[in-house]
């Protein structure tokens, strides 16, 4: 697969891609999910979850820097041989397809609930997938440029909206601190992990990065912005509703911003702005996932372009996205996905690959 020099991304574009790929569907549900385990200590669970996720990325960085000119697919082949390497590469394909299916179904459910009440889920899903696939056909540099335009605006708008929400908050709802068993806090951290997933896509981006030596810096600021944004939302939501009430909500983040009365001056349904913002964040995550899957398949089949593979995965995403019966079932599946599949793909498999490559390297030297 030939990589042109104009299809490489700068350090700032890496930073924007980190933020874009991590902030997705989790931002709408995370406050309620964390409150069920960590209660009013959700902000602490998010902070520790962010630190843990960054530590996992450092492990990934160490692995991919063992040979920065090739992707993780070639490293899998080097470690396990071609047949097992392709098998594990296909597991990553399955991982990103299932992840995309979650994103797609939830964006359809949200759009149907707040914007297009009479439109069938099937129509919303197909429209969303085709829109994302159209952009994902282009190279990583084009997608990074789109994220450069969209992401700063989203962050600024959320910060501005938070300023209006701040005036009605009761921060005593955040007290007492650490009044829950340690095991519950650990469960809360596990719940937040899903909201940070997406950074593992960088396993397959290394040949496209101009300044590989600055990737850690880009990742650090990407995680920092994401953690700060999540912290603002969960602290504000807890202070506004209290942990007990928040546990019963389906859309806590949306409820937090929908009562910003200043928006009613300029728009009839202020929640539509929040839904639109969230759709954009999910859109950027989805196009990165579709492109990543396309790149993996292009590497496996040794083709010059990934365009065909972007569209070939859409039927599978469509079918998988329709399997859950409702939002509650989607969240249950997302928890299983996060605890088991993501742990295997994001942590266990890279760790085993690195160990096998290190052993092989030492054996060769001796």
């Amino acid at each position: 697969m030939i990589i042109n020099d104009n299809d490489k991304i700068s350090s700032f574009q890496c930073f924007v891609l980190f933020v874009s790929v991590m902030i997705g569907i989790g931002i709408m549900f995370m406050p309620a999910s964390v409150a069920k385990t960590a209660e009013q200590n959700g902000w602490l669970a998010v902070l520790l979850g962010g630190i843990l996720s960054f530590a996992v990325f450092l492990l990934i960085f160490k692995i991919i820097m063992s040979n920065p000119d090739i992707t993780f697919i070639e490293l899998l082949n080097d470690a396990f041989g071609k047949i097992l390497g392709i098998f594990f590469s296909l597991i990553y394909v399955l991982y990103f397809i299932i992840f995309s299916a979650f994103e797609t179904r939830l964006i359809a459910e949200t759009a149907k609930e707040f914007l297009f009440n009479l439109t069938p889920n099937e129509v919303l899903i197909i429209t969303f997938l085709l829109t994302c696939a159209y952009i994902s056909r282009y190279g990583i540099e084009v997608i990074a440029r789109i994220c450069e335009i969209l992401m700063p605006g989203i962050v600024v708008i959320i910060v501005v909206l938070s300023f209006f929400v701040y005036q009605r908050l009761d921060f005593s709802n955040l007290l007492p601190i650490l009044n829950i068993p340690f095991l519950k806090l650990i469960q809360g951290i596990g719940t937040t992990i899903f909201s940070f997933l997406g950074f593992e896509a960088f396993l397959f981006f290394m040949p496209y990065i101009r300044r590989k030596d600055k990737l850690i810096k880009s990742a650090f600021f990407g995680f920092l912005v994401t953690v700060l944004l999540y912290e603002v939302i969960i602290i504000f939501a807890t202070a506004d509703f209290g942990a007990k009430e928040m546990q019963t909500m389906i859309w806590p983040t949306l409820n937090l911003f929908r009562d910003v009365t200043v928006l009613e001056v300029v728009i009839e349904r202020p929640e539509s702005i929040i839904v639109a913002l969230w759709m954009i964040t999910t859109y950027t995550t989805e196009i990165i996932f579709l492109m990543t899957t396309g790149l993996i398949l292009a590497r496996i089949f040794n083709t010059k372009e990934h365009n065909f593979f972007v569209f070939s995965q859409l039927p599978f995403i469509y079918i998988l996205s329709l399997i859950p019966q409702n939002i509650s079932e989607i969240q249950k599946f997302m928890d299983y996905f996060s605890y088991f599949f993501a742990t295997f793909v994001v942590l266990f498999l890279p760790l085993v690959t690195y160990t096998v490559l290190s052993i092989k390297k030492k054996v060769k030297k001796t």
Side-chain angles (χ1 to χ4, degrees):
M1 189 174 178
I2 299 171
I3 301 168
N4 298 321
D5 191 53
N6 61 1
D7 199 23
K8 293 192 173 184
I9 52 177
S10 66
S11 299
F12 180 74
Q13 288 172 329
C14 284
F15 155 72
V16 174
L17 281 178
F18 269 110
V19 179
S20 300
V21 80
M22 284 192 284
I23 297 177
I25 54 176
I27 196 170
M28 277 289 180
F29 309 98
M30 182 188 60
S33 302
V34 179
K36 289 174 184 171
T37 51
E39 300 182 11
Q40 67 270 25
N41 301 287
W43 65 271
L44 186 58
V46 169
L47 179 63
L48 295 175
I51 293 172
L52 182 63
S53 299
F54 184 65
V56 173
F57 173 76
L58 292 179
L59 169 68
I60 287 176
F61 178 77
K62 190 171 179 59
I63 295 166
I64 53 184
M65 282 303 285
S66 63
N67 194 340
D69 294 324
I70 62 176
T71 70
F72 190 59
I73 297 165
E74 282 79 21
L75 288 178
L76 286 170
N77 291 342
D78 291 345
F80 304 107
K82 194 164 185 180
I83 295 175
L84 265 181
I86 290 175
F87 173 75
F88 288 132
S89 298
L90 291 174
I91 286 182
Y92 279 95
V93 170
L94 181 63
Y95 171 82
F96 283 112
I97 285 178
I98 295 175
F99 209 149
S100 298
F102 284 134
E103 299 260 351
T104 304
R105 177 61 184 275
L106 282 172
I107 203 73
E109 290 287 345
T110 313
K112 187 176 178 65
E113 177 78 18
F114 297 99
L115 298 176
F116 308 106
N117 308 89
L118 302 178
T119 307
N121 270 343
E122 290 79 1
V123 175
L124 294 170
I125 287 171
I126 291 172
T127 307
F128 178 67
L129 284 177
L130 289 177
T131 309
C132 292
Y134 177 77
I135 298 298
S136 296
R137 293 179 306 126
Y138 298 97
I140 188 172
E141 201 262 346
V142 173
I143 293 174
R145 283 179 183 272
I146 291 173
C147 293
E148 266 185 305
I149 296 170
L150 295 177
M151 190 47 60
I154 293 169
V155 173
V156 169
I157 291 173
I158 291 177
V159 170
V160 171
L161 290 177
S162 300
F163 173 77
F164 293 112
V165 173
Y166 177 82
Q167 300 169 22
R168 65 167 194 260
L169 300 182
D170 178 6
F171 287 100
S172 65
N173 286 332
L174 294 163
L175 301 175
I177 297 172
L178 286 177
N179 64 325
I180 57 171
F182 184 68
L183 185 60
K184 279 201 164 188
L185 182 62
I186 296 294
Q187 288 177 328
I189 293 171
T191 304
T192 66
I193 295 298
F194 186 90
S195 300
F196 289 100
L197 287 178
F199 62 86
E200 64 277 8
F202 274 79
L203 278 167
F204 308 96
F205 291 169
M206 280 307 278
Y208 304 90
I209 297 172
R210 278 204 180 92
R211 294 293 306 272
K212 298 175 176 63
D213 56 318
K214 292 191 174 182
L215 183 59
I216 284 288
K217 188 177 177 183
S218 302
F220 174 77
F221 284 106
F223 274 88
L224 183 64
V225 169
T226 306
V227 168
L228 287 177
L229 204 59
Y230 285 167
E231 286 289 5
V232 167
I233 288 173
I234 198 161
I235 288 174
F236 280 26
T238 308
D240 196 14
F241 308 119
K244 296 294 181 190
E245 184 181 343
M246 200 160 59
Q247 291 174 18
T248 64
M249 293 180 172
I250 298 176
W251 317 96
T253 304
L254 186 60
N255 291 339
L256 176 68
F257 293 114
R258 72 191 306 175
D259 294 329
V260 178
T261 53
V262 68
L263 292 178
E264 294 175 356
V265 177
V266 294
I267 190 167
E268 186 179 354
R269 296 177 61 189
E271 69 270 19
S272 59
I273 291 182
I274 308 304
V275 174
L277 281 177
W278 183 57
M279 290 179 78
I280 293 171
T281 62
T282 309
Y283 171 75
T284 55
T285 306
E286 185 80 0
I287 59 176
I288 294 171
F289 283 170
L290 290 178
M291 180 196 63
T292 305
T293 309
L295 290 176
I296 296 172
L297 289 170
R299 286 276 176 177
I300 291 174
F301 292 100
N302 197 27
T303 60
K304 291 182 180 179
E305 300 291 340
H306 70 288
N307 300 358
F308 169 76
F309 298 109
V310 168
F311 284 99
S312 66
Q313 61 188 296
L314 298 189
F316 301 100
I317 297 173
Y318 174 78
I319 294 169
L320 288 172
S321 68
L322 290 174
I323 290 177
Q325 298 298 313
N326 48 49
I327 291 180
S328 176
E329 198 166 283
I330 298 170
Q331 289 177 310
K332 188 173 72 175
F333 288 161
M334 283 166 55
D335 285 340
Y336 292 144
F337 177 83
S338 178
Y339 286 134
F340 300 108
F341 201 9
T343 302
F344 176 77
V345 167
V346 180
L347 180 62
F348 181 76
L349 196 49
L351 190 60
V352 171
T353 305
Y354 179 70
T355 305
V356 172
L357 287 173
S358 299
I359 292 172
K360 280 190 169 182
K361 198 173 179 181
K362 284 184 181 178
V363 170
K364 276 186 180 178
K365 282 185 179 178
T366 55

